[in-house]
Amino acid sequence: MGIRNKYAYPAIVIMVGYALLSIPCIFHTITGYPCPACGTRRALLSLLKGDIYTSVLINPYGLLLALLIIFYTTGLISDFVRKNRQFRDWLKRSEQLLANKYVLTLIILLMLLNWIWNIHKGL
């Protein structure tokens, strides 16, 4: 069952943006170890300065988040301009794909590898 409220996705994007720009990592503060997303804020700032290489080295989540925000915003604007639901319907189909246990396992594995990399780098 997906998120049915049409305002839920923009709200999530706004909350993630707010968290990335203003709140320190709670996991790192409590444990002293980096979380899988530690460094994403610095990676985004490097990306905004045009330094893609450094951004990906800090944390690939920064580039991924930037691409997702651009893709999502473009899709919503396209739906609004064309007055259709093509992008939102595609999002619903994507949610079903992400619920597949094999896809979810791959995502979790990639997240764990990124976390190990963050710990290795000493973020």
Side-chain angles (χ1 to χ4, degrees):
M1 185 163 127
I3 299 174
R4 297 190 186 270
N5 185 338
K6 68 180 179 178
Y7 299 108
Y9 287 113
I12 290 169
V13 170
I14 291 168
M15 287 187 296
V16 167
Y18 178 75
L20 286 172
L21 296 175
S22 62
I23 300 172
C25 178
I26 295 169
F27 184 86
H28 191 270
T29 302
I30 293 172
T31 68
Y33 293 103
C35 73
C38 272
T40 302
R41 183 181 345 182
R42 284 175 289 169
L44 280 172
L45 292 174
S46 289
L47 192 61
L48 290 173
K49 293 176 186 174
D51 192 352
I52 297 171
Y53 180 75
T54 301
S55 174
V56 171
L57 284 179
I58 293 172
N59 196 327
Y61 285 176
L63 180 60
L64 178 63
L65 183 61
L67 292 173
L68 287 173
I69 290 171
I70 291 167
F71 178 71
Y72 183 79
T73 304
T74 304
L76 285 181
I77 291 170
S78 174
D79 273 4
F80 179 76
V81 169
R82 294 180 181 180
K83 296 183 175 149
N84 66 21
R85 296 183 47 86
Q86 184 177 358
F87 181 71
R88 286 173 280 177
D89 291 342
W90 179 84
L91 280 177
K92 276 189 183 189
R93 290 190 306 275
S94 298
E95 284 178 1
Q96 292 171 349
L97 174 68
L98 291 174
N100 178 296
K101 66 181 178 181
Y102 298 110
V103 174
L104 191 56
T105 301
L106 178 63
I107 291 170
I108 291 170
L109 178 64
L110 290 172
M111 183 190 71
L112 288 173
L113 289 172
N114 190 58
W115 193 7
I116 291 167
W117 189 37
N118 280 349
I119 292 169
H120 176 73
K121 290 185 299 185
L123 276 181

